[in-house]
Amino acid sequence: MFGSLLRFFRERAGITQEGLGGQVGYSKSQVAMVERGERPPKGKLVEIADEALGAQGALLAAGKELKTSRFPSWFENYAELEAKAAAISMYANHVVPGLLQAEGYARAIFNCHCPPLEDDEVEARVAARLERQQVLQRKPAPLVGFVLEEHTLTRPLGGPTALKDQLSRLLEIGRRRNVEIQVLPHNREVHAGLNGPMILLETAERDRLAYVEGPSGGYFVDQQPDLGDLFARYGILRAQALSPEDSARLIEQVADGL
């Protein structure tokens, strides 16, 4: 809400993001992140913007109602459902999913963000991602499954040391009784997941929904036949992937080669 108000008053005043940033000590990208709800306003932004944009106290009032989230606004609803889910299933084709990421690997991913994040924002996002992983050891424990493309095991984000730590993290988490990690080998000639990554959730009430993420955010799928198609697709991916035991052996081989 605050971000939308800020953009409304900025555009009404005919001031660019860069222009407002110059007045409040922000870069253009930082102003854009506040407007998108991806970064809380810091310093004197609220006070200066309220006066500079002629908001007549509206931004000040909205600022008092701000509740700082650990996650971008578009991810909040998903994170809340994930934390309570009875079952979580993920297919990842670019990087190791956030629930499995080691700290150094997660930091490397956020350091790749475009436009670049400020150092404090990187650290805040890393901390939020690591805290999110507590769902894996929640009681009652959720059933959690992952299907990872083989090349996610070899992409050296953060360098060889970060990747080796990440592979060790996969092996550690994969030993938990409620977690299964499977690798989809790159030599598969038939592949059910070419439409991209997905996350499937089952709530405590056994309702099902899916979450699909893209470059600009994510969206839920909860209507048939699309929802059923995604669950069916994930089931086929599990069958096409290596078993958890063979997957662990492959992860060990990759780690030993680093």
Side-chain angles (χ1 to χ4, degrees), residues 101-177:
Q101 288 175 10
E103 182 175 347
Y105 185 90
R107 184 171 289 106
I109 286 178
F110 288 123
N111 279 332
C112 291
H113 194 280
C114 185
L117 301 173
E118 298 294 324
D119 289 346
D120 61 340
E121 187 68 19
V122 169
E123 294 308 313
R125 294 199 183 193
V126 170
R129 179 153 295 180
L130 297 179
E131 184 178 345
R132 193 180 133 216
Q133 295 173 2
Q134 307 223 352
V135 68
L136 298 176
Q137 49 194 350
R138 193 198 68 207
K139 294 182 180 180
L143 297 175
V144 189
F146 301 89
V147 175
L148 313 180
E149 289 287 349
E150 184 176 346
H151 62 252
T152 64
L153 309 179
T154 58
R155 180 168 288 138
L157 295 172
T161 300
L163 178 59
K164 191 159 189 173
D165 288 345
Q166 177 58 65
L167 297 176
S168 296
R169 176 71 172 157
L170 291 178
L171 294 170
E172 174 192 343
I173 295 177
R175 286 191 284 269
R176 296 183 180 179
R177 290 192 297 273

Coordinates of all heavy atoms in Angstrom, one line a residue, residues 101-177:
Q101 N 18.9 -24.1 0.2 CA 20.1 -23.4 0.0 C 21.0 -23.2 1.2 O 20.4 -22.9 2.3 CB 19.8 -22.0 -0.6 CG 19.3 -22.0 -2.0 CD 18.8 -20.7 -2.6 OE1 19.0 -19.7 -1.9 NE2 18.2 -20.7 -3.7
A102 N 22.3 -23.4 1.0 CA 23.2 -23.0 2.1 C 23.4 -21.5 2.1 O 23.1 -20.8 1.1 CB 24.6 -23.7 1.8
E103 N 24.0 -21.0 3.2 CA 24.1 -19.5 3.3 C 24.9 -18.9 2.2 O 24.5 -17.9 1.6 CB 24.6 -19.2 4.7 CG 24.7 -17.7 4.9 CD 25.2 -17.3 6.3 OE1 25.2 -18.2 7.2 OE2 25.5 -16.2 6.5
G104 N 26.1 -19.4 1.9 CA 26.9 -18.8 0.9 C 26.3 -18.9 -0.5 O 26.4 -17.9 -1.3
Y105 N 25.6 -20.0 -0.8 CA 25.0 -20.1 -2.1 C 23.8 -19.1 -2.2 O 23.6 -18.5 -3.2 CB 24.4 -21.6 -2.2 CG 23.8 -21.9 -3.5 CD1 24.6 -22.5 -4.6 CD2 22.5 -21.8 -3.8 CE1 24.1 -22.8 -5.8 CE2 21.9 -22.2 -5.0 CZ 22.7 -22.7 -6.0 OH 22.1 -23.1 -7.2
A106 N 23.0 -19.0 -1.1 CA 21.9 -18.0 -1.1 C 22.5 -16.6 -1.3 O 21.9 -15.8 -2.1 CB 21.1 -18.1 0.2
R107 N 23.5 -16.3 -0.7 CA 24.1 -14.9 -0.8 C 24.6 -14.7 -2.2 O 24.4 -13.6 -2.8 CB 25.3 -14.7 0.2 CG 25.9 -13.3 0.2 CD 26.8 -13.1 1.3 NE 26.2 -13.1 2.6 CZ 26.2 -14.0 3.5 NH1 26.9 -15.2 3.3 NH2 25.5 -13.9 4.7
A108 N 25.2 -15.7 -2.9 CA 25.6 -15.6 -4.2 C 24.5 -15.3 -5.2 O 24.6 -14.5 -6.1 CB 26.4 -16.8 -4.7
I109 N 23.3 -16.0 -4.9 CA 22.1 -15.7 -5.8 C 21.7 -14.3 -5.6 O 21.4 -13.6 -6.6 CB 21.0 -16.7 -5.4 CG1 21.4 -18.1 -5.9 CG2 19.7 -16.3 -5.9 CD1 20.4 -19.2 -5.6
F110 N 21.6 -13.8 -4.4 CA 21.1 -12.4 -4.2 C 22.1 -11.4 -4.8 O 21.7 -10.3 -5.2 CB 20.7 -12.1 -2.8 CG 19.5 -12.8 -2.3 CD1 19.5 -13.7 -1.2 CD2 18.3 -12.6 -3.0 CE1 18.4 -14.3 -0.8 CE2 17.1 -13.3 -2.6 CZ 17.2 -14.1 -1.5
N111 N 23.3 -11.8 -4.8 CA 24.4 -10.9 -5.4 C 24.3 -10.8 -6.9 O 24.8 -9.9 -7.5 CB 25.8 -11.3 -4.9 CG 26.1 -10.8 -3.5 OD1 25.6 -9.8 -3.1 ND2 27.0 -11.6 -2.9
C112 N 23.5 -11.8 -7.5 CA 23.3 -11.8 -8.9 C 22.1 -10.9 -9.3 O 21.8 -10.8 -10.5 CB 23.1 -13.2 -9.4 SG 24.6 -14.2 -9.4
H113 N 21.4 -10.4 -8.3 CA 20.1 -9.7 -8.6 C 20.3 -8.5 -9.6 O 21.3 -7.8 -9.5 CB 19.5 -9.2 -7.3 CG 18.1 -8.8 -7.4 ND1 17.7 -7.5 -7.9 CD2 16.9 -9.4 -7.1 CE1 16.4 -7.4 -7.9 NE2 15.9 -8.5 -7.4
C114 N 19.4 -8.4 -10.5 CA 19.5 -7.3 -11.4 C 18.1 -6.5 -11.4 O 17.1 -7.1 -11.7 CB 19.8 -7.8 -12.8 SG 20.0 -6.5 -14.1
P115 N 18.1 -5.2 -11.0 CA 19.2 -4.4 -10.7 C 19.8 -4.8 -9.3 O 19.2 -5.5 -8.5 CB 18.6 -3.0 -10.5 CG 17.2 -3.3 -10.2 CD 16.8 -4.5 -10.9
P116 N 21.1 -4.4 -9.1 CA 21.8 -4.9 -7.9 C 21.1 -4.4 -6.6 O 20.5 -3.3 -6.5 CB 23.2 -4.2 -8.0 CG 23.4 -4.0 -9.5 CD 22.0 -3.6 -10.0
L117 N 21.2 -5.3 -5.6 CA 20.6 -5.0 -4.3 C 21.7 -4.3 -3.4 O 22.9 -4.6 -3.6 CB 20.1 -6.2 -3.6 CG 19.0 -7.0 -4.3 CD1 18.8 -8.3 -3.5 CD2 17.8 -6.2 -4.4
E118 N 21.3 -3.5 -2.5 CA 22.2 -2.9 -1.5 C 22.7 -4.0 -0.6 O 22.0 -5.1 -0.4 CB 21.6 -1.8 -0.7 CG 21.1 -0.6 -1.6 CD 22.3 0.1 -2.2 OE1 23.4 0.2 -1.5 OE2 22.2 0.6 -3.4
D119 N 23.8 -3.8 0.1 CA 24.4 -4.9 0.9 C 23.5 -5.3 2.0 O 23.3 -6.5 2.4 CB 25.7 -4.4 1.5 CG 26.9 -4.4 0.5 OD1 26.7 -4.9 -0.6 OD2 27.9 -3.7 0.8
D120 N 22.8 -4.3 2.7 CA 21.9 -4.6 3.8 C 20.7 -5.4 3.3 O 20.1 -6.2 4.0 CB 21.5 -3.3 4.5 CG 20.7 -2.3 3.6 OD1 20.8 -2.4 2.4 OD2 20.0 -1.5 4.2
E121 N 20.2 -5.1 2.0 CA 19.1 -5.8 1.5 C 19.5 -7.3 1.2 O 18.7 -8.2 1.4 CB 18.6 -5.1 0.2 CG 17.3 -5.7 -0.4 CD 16.1 -5.4 0.5 OE1 16.2 -4.5 1.4 OE2 15.1 -6.2 0.3
V122 N 20.7 -7.5 0.7 CA 21.2 -8.8 0.4 C 21.2 -9.6 1.7 O 20.7 -10.8 1.8 CB 22.6 -8.8 -0.2 CG1 23.2 -10.2 -0.2 CG2 22.6 -8.3 -1.6
E123 N 21.7 -9.0 2.8 CA 21.8 -9.8 4.1 C 20.5 -10.0 4.7 O 20.2 -11.1 5.3 CB 22.7 -9.0 5.1 CG 24.1 -8.9 4.7 CD 24.8 -10.2 4.3 OE1 24.6 -11.2 5.1 OE2 25.4 -10.3 3.3
A124 N 19.5 -9.1 4.5 CA 18.2 -9.3 5.0 C 17.5 -10.4 4.3 O 16.8 -11.2 4.9 CB 17.4 -8.0 4.9
R125 N 17.7 -10.5 3.0 CA 17.1 -11.6 2.2 C 17.7 -12.9 2.5 O 17.0 -14.0 2.5 CB 17.1 -11.2 0.7 CG 16.3 -10.0 0.3 CD 16.0 -10.0 -1.2 NE 15.3 -8.8 -1.5 CZ 14.8 -8.6 -2.7 NH1 14.8 -9.5 -3.6 NH2 14.1 -7.4 -3.0
V126 N 19.0 -13.0 2.7 CA 19.6 -14.2 3.1 C 19.1 -14.7 4.4 O 18.7 -15.9 4.6 CB 21.2 -14.0 3.1 CG1 21.8 -15.3 3.8 CG2 21.7 -13.8 1.8
A127 N 19.0 -13.8 5.4 CA 18.5 -14.2 6.7 C 17.0 -14.7 6.6 O 16.7 -15.7 7.2 CB 18.5 -13.0 7.6
A128 N 16.2 -14.0 5.8 CA 14.8 -14.5 5.6 C 14.7 -15.8 5.0 O 13.9 -16.7 5.3 CB 14.0 -13.4 4.8
R129 N 15.6 -16.1 4.0 CA 15.6 -17.4 3.3 C 16.0 -18.5 4.3 O 15.4 -19.6 4.3 CB 16.5 -17.3 2.1 CG 16.6 -18.6 1.3 CD 17.0 -18.4 -0.1 NE 15.9 -17.7 -0.8 CZ 16.0 -17.4 -2.1 NH1 17.0 -17.7 -2.8 NH2 15.0 -16.7 -2.7
L130 N 17.0 -18.3 5.1 CA 17.5 -19.3 6.0 C 16.4 -19.5 7.1 O 16.2 -20.7 7.5 CB 18.8 -18.9 6.7 CG 20.0 -18.7 5.7 CD1 21.2 -18.3 6.5 CD2 20.3 -20.0 4.9
E131 N 15.7 -18.5 7.5 CA 14.7 -18.7 8.5 C 13.5 -19.5 7.9 O 12.9 -20.3 8.6 CB 14.2 -17.3 9.0 CG 13.2 -17.4 10.1 CD 12.7 -16.0 10.6 OE1 13.4 -15.0 10.3 OE2 11.7 -15.9 11.2
R132 N 13.2 -19.2 6.6 CA 12.2 -19.9 6.0 C 12.4 -21.5 6.0 O 11.4 -22.2 6.0 CB 12.1 -19.4 4.5 CG 10.9 -19.8 3.7 CD 10.9 -19.2 2.3 NE 10.6 -20.2 1.3 CZ 11.1 -20.3 0.2 NH1 12.1 -19.4 -0.2 NH2 10.8 -21.2 -0.7
Q133 N 13.6 -21.9 6.0 CA 13.9 -23.3 5.9 C 13.5 -24.1 7.2 O 13.5 -25.3 7.2 CB 15.4 -23.5 5.7 CG 15.9 -23.0 4.3 CD 17.4 -23.0 4.2 OE1 18.1 -23.4 5.1 NE2 17.9 -22.5 3.1
Q134 N 13.1 -23.3 8.2 CA 12.7 -24.0 9.5 C 11.5 -24.9 9.3 O 11.2 -25.8 10.1 CB 12.4 -23.0 10.6 CG 13.6 -22.0 10.8 CD 13.9 -21.7 12.2 OE1 13.2 -22.1 13.1 NE2 15.0 -21.0 12.4
V135 N 10.8 -24.7 8.2 CA 9.6 -25.5 7.9 C 10.0 -27.0 7.7 O 9.2 -27.9 8.0 CB 8.9 -25.0 6.6 CG1 9.7 -25.2 5.4 CG2 7.5 -25.7 6.5
L136 N 11.2 -27.2 7.3 CA 11.7 -28.6 7.1 C 11.8 -29.4 8.4 O 11.7 -30.6 8.4 CB 13.1 -28.6 6.4 CG 13.1 -28.0 5.0 CD1 14.6 -27.9 4.5 CD2 12.2 -28.7 4.1
Q137 N 12.0 -28.7 9.5 CA 12.0 -29.4 10.8 C 10.9 -29.0 11.7 O 10.9 -29.2 13.0 CB 13.4 -29.1 11.5 CG 13.7 -27.6 11.5 CD 15.2 -27.4 11.9 OE1 15.9 -28.3 12.3 NE2 15.7 -26.2 11.8
R138 N 9.8 -28.5 11.1 CA 8.6 -28.2 11.9 C 8.0 -29.4 12.5 O 8.1 -30.5 11.9 CB 7.7 -27.4 11.0 CG 6.5 -26.7 11.7 CD 5.4 -26.4 10.6 NE 4.8 -27.7 10.2 CZ 4.2 -27.8 9.0 NH1 4.2 -26.8 8.1 NH2 3.7 -29.0 8.6
K139 N 7.3 -29.3 13.6 CA 6.5 -30.4 14.1 C 5.0 -30.0 14.1 O 4.7 -28.9 14.6 CB 6.9 -30.8 15.5 CG 8.4 -31.3 15.5 CD 8.8 -31.7 16.9 CE 10.2 -32.3 16.9 NZ 10.6 -32.6 18.3
P140 N 4.1 -30.8 13.5 CA 4.4 -32.0 12.8 C 5.1 -31.7 11.5 O 4.9 -30.7 10.8 CB 3.0 -32.6 12.5 CG 2.1 -31.3 12.5 CD 2.7 -30.4 13.5
A141 N 6.0 -32.7 11.1 CA 6.9 -32.4 10.0 C 6.1 -32.6 8.7 O 5.3 -33.5 8.5 CB 8.0 -33.5 10.0
P142 N 6.3 -31.6 7.7 CA 5.6 -31.7 6.4 C 6.4 -32.8 5.6 O 7.5 -33.1 5.8 CB 5.8 -30.3 5.9 CG 7.1 -29.8 6.5 CD 7.1 -30.4 7.9
L143 N 5.7 -33.3 4.6 CA 6.3 -34.2 3.6 C 6.8 -33.3 2.5 O 6.0 -32.5 1.9 CB 5.3 -35.2 3.1 CG 4.8 -36.2 4.1 CD1 3.7 -37.1 3.4 CD2 5.9 -37.1 4.6
V144 N 8.1 -33.3 2.2 CA 8.7 -32.4 1.3 C 9.5 -33.2 0.2 O 10.3 -34.1 0.6 CB 9.7 -31.4 2.0 CG1 10.1 -30.3 1.1 CG2 9.0 -30.8 3.2
G145 N 9.3 -32.8 -1.0 CA 10.0 -33.5 -2.1 C 10.5 -32.5 -3.1 O 9.9 -31.4 -3.3
F146 N 11.7 -32.8 -3.7 CA 12.3 -31.9 -4.7 C 12.7 -32.7 -5.9 O 13.3 -33.8 -5.7 CB 13.5 -31.2 -4.1 CG 13.3 -30.4 -2.9 CD1 13.4 -31.0 -1.6 CD2 13.0 -29.1 -3.0 CE1 13.1 -30.2 -0.5 CE2 12.8 -28.3 -1.8 CZ 12.8 -28.9 -0.6
V147 N 12.5 -32.2 -7.1 CA 13.1 -32.7 -8.3 C 14.0 -31.6 -8.8 O 13.5 -30.5 -9.2 CB 12.0 -33.1 -9.3 CG1 12.7 -33.6 -10.6 CG2 11.2 -34.3 -8.8
L148 N 15.3 -31.9 -8.9 CA 16.3 -30.9 -9.4 C 16.9 -31.3 -10.7 O 17.3 -32.5 -10.8 CB 17.4 -30.7 -8.3 CG 17.0 -30.5 -6.9 CD1 18.3 -30.4 -6.0 CD2 16.1 -29.4 -6.7
E149 N 17.0 -30.4 -11.6 CA 17.7 -30.7 -12.8 C 19.2 -30.9 -12.5 O 19.8 -30.2 -11.6 CB 17.6 -29.5 -13.8 CG 16.3 -29.3 -14.4 CD 16.0 -30.4 -15.5 OE1 16.9 -31.2 -15.9 OE2 14.8 -30.5 -15.9
E150 N 19.9 -31.8 -13.2 CA 21.2 -32.1 -12.8 C 22.2 -30.9 -12.9 O 23.1 -30.8 -12.1 CB 21.8 -33.2 -13.8 CG 23.2 -33.7 -13.5 CD 23.6 -34.8 -14.3 OE1 22.8 -35.5 -15.0 OE2 24.8 -35.1 -14.3
H151 N 21.9 -30.0 -13.9 CA 22.8 -28.9 -14.0 C 22.7 -27.9 -12.8 O 23.6 -27.1 -12.7 CB 22.6 -28.1 -15.3 CG 21.2 -27.5 -15.5 ND1 20.3 -28.1 -16.4 CD2 20.7 -26.5 -15.0 CE1 19.2 -27.3 -16.3 NE2 19.4 -26.4 -15.5
T152 N 21.7 -28.0 -12.0 CA 21.7 -27.2 -10.8 C 22.8 -27.6 -9.8 O 23.2 -26.8 -8.9 CB 20.3 -27.2 -10.0 OG1 20.1 -28.5 -9.6 CG2 19.2 -26.8 -11.0
L153 N 23.3 -28.8 -10.0 CA 24.4 -29.3 -9.1 C 25.7 -28.8 -9.6 O 26.7 -29.0 -8.8 CB 24.4 -30.8 -9.1 CG 23.0 -31.5 -8.8 CD1 23.2 -33.1 -8.8 CD2 22.5 -31.1 -7.5
T154 N 25.9 -28.3 -10.8 CA 27.2 -28.0 -11.3 C 27.4 -26.5 -11.6 O 28.5 -26.1 -11.8 CB 27.4 -28.8 -12.6 OG1 26.4 -28.4 -13.6 CG2 27.4 -30.3 -12.4
R155 N 26.3 -25.7 -11.6 CA 26.4 -24.3 -11.8 C 27.1 -23.7 -10.6 O 26.6 -23.6 -9.5 CB 25.1 -23.6 -12.0 CG 25.1 -22.1 -12.3 CD 23.8 -21.6 -12.8 NE 23.5 -22.1 -14.1 CZ 22.4 -22.5 -14.6 NH1 21.3 -22.6 -13.8 NH2 22.2 -22.9 -15.8
P156 N 28.4 -23.1 -10.8 CA 29.2 -22.7 -9.6 C 28.9 -21.3 -9.1 O 29.7 -20.5 -9.0 CB 30.6 -22.8 -10.2 CG 30.4 -22.4 -11.7 CD 29.1 -23.0 -12.1
L157 N 27.6 -21.1 -8.7 CA 27.2 -19.8 -8.1 C 28.0 -19.6 -6.8 O 28.0 -20.4 -5.9 CB 25.7 -19.8 -7.9 CG 24.9 -19.8 -9.1 CD1 23.4 -20.0 -8.7 CD2 25.1 -18.6 -10.0
G158 N 28.7 -18.5 -6.8 CA 29.5 -18.1 -5.6 C 30.9 -18.8 -5.6 O 31.6 -18.6 -4.7
G159 N 31.2 -19.6 -6.6 CA 32.5 -20.2 -6.7 C 32.4 -21.7 -6.2 O 31.5 -22.2 -5.7
P160 N 33.5 -22.4 -6.5 CA 33.6 -23.9 -6.1 C 33.3 -24.2 -4.7 O 32.7 -25.2 -4.3 CB 35.0 -24.3 -6.5 CG 35.4 -23.3 -7.6 CD 34.8 -22.0 -7.1
T161 N 33.9 -23.3 -3.8 CA 33.7 -23.6 -2.3 C 32.2 -23.5 -1.9 O 31.7 -24.3 -1.2 CB 34.5 -22.6 -1.5 OG1 35.9 -22.8 -1.8 CG2 34.3 -22.9 0.0
A162 N 31.5 -22.4 -2.5 CA 30.1 -22.2 -2.2 C 29.3 -23.4 -2.7 O 28.3 -23.9 -2.1 CB 29.6 -20.9 -2.7
L163 N 29.7 -23.8 -3.9 CA 28.9 -24.9 -4.5 C 29.1 -26.2 -3.7 O 28.2 -27.0 -3.5 CB 29.4 -25.1 -6.0 CG 28.7 -26.3 -6.7 CD1 27.2 -26.1 -6.8 CD2 29.2 -26.4 -8.1
K164 N 30.3 -26.5 -3.3 CA 30.6 -27.7 -2.5 C 29.8 -27.7 -1.2 O 29.3 -28.7 -0.8 CB 32.1 -27.9 -2.3 CG 32.5 -29.2 -1.7 CD 33.9 -29.6 -1.9 CE 34.2 -31.0 -1.6 NZ 35.6 -31.4 -1.9
D165 N 29.8 -26.5 -0.6 CA 29.0 -26.4 0.6 C 27.5 -26.7 0.4 O 26.8 -27.3 1.2 CB 29.2 -25.0 1.3 CG 30.5 -24.8 1.9 OD1 31.2 -25.8 2.1 OD2 30.9 -23.6 2.1
Q166 N 27.1 -26.2 -0.8 CA 25.7 -26.4 -1.2 C 25.4 -27.9 -1.4 O 24.3 -28.4 -1.0 CB 25.3 -25.6 -2.4 CG 23.9 -25.8 -2.9 CD 22.9 -25.4 -1.9 OE1 22.8 -24.2 -1.5 NE2 22.1 -26.3 -1.4
L167 N 26.3 -28.6 -2.0 CA 26.0 -30.0 -2.3 C 26.0 -30.8 -1.0 O 25.2 -31.7 -0.8 CB 27.1 -30.5 -3.2 CG 27.1 -29.9 -4.6 CD1 28.3 -30.5 -5.5 CD2 25.8 -30.2 -5.3
S168 N 26.9 -30.4 0.0 CA 26.9 -31.0 1.3 C 25.6 -30.7 2.0 O 25.0 -31.6 2.7 CB 28.0 -30.5 2.1 OG 29.3 -30.8 1.6
R169 N 25.0 -29.5 1.8 CA 23.7 -29.2 2.4 C 22.6 -30.1 1.8 O 21.8 -30.5 2.6 CB 23.5 -27.7 2.1 CG 22.1 -27.2 2.6 CD 22.0 -27.1 4.1 NE 20.8 -26.5 4.5 CZ 20.3 -26.6 5.7 NH1 20.9 -27.4 6.6 NH2 19.2 -26.0 6.1
L170 N 22.7 -30.3 0.5 CA 21.7 -31.2 -0.1 C 21.7 -32.6 0.5 O 20.7 -33.2 0.8 CB 21.9 -31.3 -1.6 CG 21.6 -30.0 -2.4 CD1 22.0 -30.3 -3.9 CD2 20.2 -29.6 -2.3
L171 N 22.9 -33.1 0.7 CA 23.1 -34.5 1.2 C 22.6 -34.5 2.7 O 21.9 -35.5 3.1 CB 24.5 -34.9 1.2 CG 25.1 -35.1 -0.2 CD1 26.6 -35.3 -0.2 CD2 24.4 -36.3 -0.9
E172 N 22.9 -33.4 3.4 CA 22.4 -33.4 4.8 C 20.9 -33.4 4.9 O 20.3 -34.1 5.7 CB 23.0 -32.1 5.5 CG 22.5 -31.9 6.9 CD 22.9 -30.5 7.4 OE1 23.8 -29.8 6.8 OE2 22.3 -30.0 8.4
I173 N 20.3 -32.5 4.2 CA 18.8 -32.4 4.2 C 18.2 -33.6 3.7 O 17.1 -34.1 4.2 CB 18.3 -31.1 3.5 CG1 18.8 -29.8 4.1 CG2 16.8 -31.1 3.4 CD1 18.5 -28.6 3.4
G174 N 18.7 -34.2 2.7 CA 18.2 -35.4 2.0 C 18.1 -36.6 3.0 O 17.4 -37.6 2.7
R175 N 18.9 -36.6 4.1 CA 18.9 -37.7 5.0 C 17.7 -37.6 6.0 O 17.5 -38.5 6.8 CB 20.2 -37.7 5.8 CG 21.4 -38.2 5.0 CD 22.6 -38.5 5.8 NE 23.3 -37.3 6.2 CZ 24.3 -36.7 5.5 NH1 24.7 -37.3 4.4 NH2 24.8 -35.6 5.9
R176 N 17.0 -36.5 6.0 CA 15.8 -36.4 6.9 C 14.7 -37.3 6.4 O 14.5 -37.4 5.2 CB 15.4 -34.9 6.9 CG 16.4 -34.0 7.5 CD 15.9 -32.6 7.6 NE 16.9 -31.7 8.2 CZ 16.8 -30.4 8.4 NH1 15.6 -29.9 8.1 NH2 17.8 -29.7 9.0
R177 N 14.0 -37.9 7.3 CA 12.9 -38.8 7.0 C 11.8 -38.2 6.2 O 11.1 -38.9 5.5 CB 12.4 -39.5 8.2 CG 13.4 -40.5 8.9 CD 12.7 -41.3 10.0 NE 12.2 -40.5 11.0 CZ 12.9 -40.2 12.1 NH1 14.2 -40.5 12.2 NH2 12.3 -39.4 13.1

